[in-house]
């Protein structure tokens, strides 16, 4: 159940921000983000059976790399929006602009992959290979859940709810 709450929270958070607006909603979003981050950390500590030293090192590593990923991910969203505007039916797309956006999108994908590799190398200093694989699988699962929720939201469908 925690994983579902985490996935749904991450998936619907951007919609909540844009729907509400204002300073109160910004504070609320930050509170929700922190709650999601805490739940994720608790989930990972349990799933990987981390000791307290490993748990604190992992939290520091996640904070470090998530901070580096966030601006790149935000830019990826902006690029996707710009590409969608360029590719509207009935409107002539600017080939140069589209080419620049595609190149930047690919460059950002490479940066994100590089950050993943750097994070894994750092985690290798305090997690066993089995723990690292479990961590990577949990992250991939979470990414998939978030992507599914985003797609459902874009299609105008309500989030899928699971009962447990």
């Amino acid at each position: 159940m925690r994983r579902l709450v985490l996935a749904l929270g991450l998936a619907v958070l951007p919609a909540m921000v844009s729907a509400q607006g204002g300073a109160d909603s910004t504070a609320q979003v930050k509170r929700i983000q922190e709650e999601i981050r805490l739940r994720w950390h608790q989930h990972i500590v349990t799933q990987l059976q981390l000791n307290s030293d490993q748990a604190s090192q992992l939290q520091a590593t996640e904070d470090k790399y998530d901070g580096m990923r966030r601006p790149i991910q935000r830019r990826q969203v902006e690029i996707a929006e710009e590409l969608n505007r360029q590719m509207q039916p009935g409107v002539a797309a600017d080939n140069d602009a589209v080419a620049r956006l595609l190149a930047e999108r690919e460059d950002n994908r490479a940066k994100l992959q590089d950050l993943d590799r750097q994070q894994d190398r750092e985690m290798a200093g305090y997690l066993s290979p089995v723990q690292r694989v479990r961590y990577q699988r949990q992250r991939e699962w979470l990414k998939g859940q978030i992507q599914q929720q985003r797609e459902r939201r874009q299609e105008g469908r309500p989030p899928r709810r699971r009962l447990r």
Side-chain angles (χ1 to χ4, degrees), residues 64-81:
K64 173 183 169 181
Y65 286 97
D66 287 348
M68 289 188 268
R69 273 188 200 95
R70 238 176 258 121
I72 298 169
Q73 291 168 331
R74 271 194 299 270
R75 181 61 186 142
Q76 288 295 77
V77 169
E78 293 168 359
I79 290 169
E81 291 169 352

Side-chain angles (χ1 to χ4, degrees), residues 16-54:
M16 290 171 54
V17 173
S18 63
Q20 292 180 359
D24 288 341
S25 66
T26 302
Q28 182 181 11
V29 166
K30 288 183 188 244
R31 183 184 53 75
I32 292 169
Q33 285 174 330
E34 185 57 33
E35 184 178 328
I36 290 169
R37 205 173 71 76
L38 177 63
R39 287 184 184 194
W40 167 253
H41 183 69
Q42 291 169 340
H43 170 75
I44 286 299
V45 167
T46 302
Q47 291 297 308
L48 304 184
Q49 299 175 344
L50 302 179
N51 63 40
S52 60
D53 187 44
Q54 287 175 311

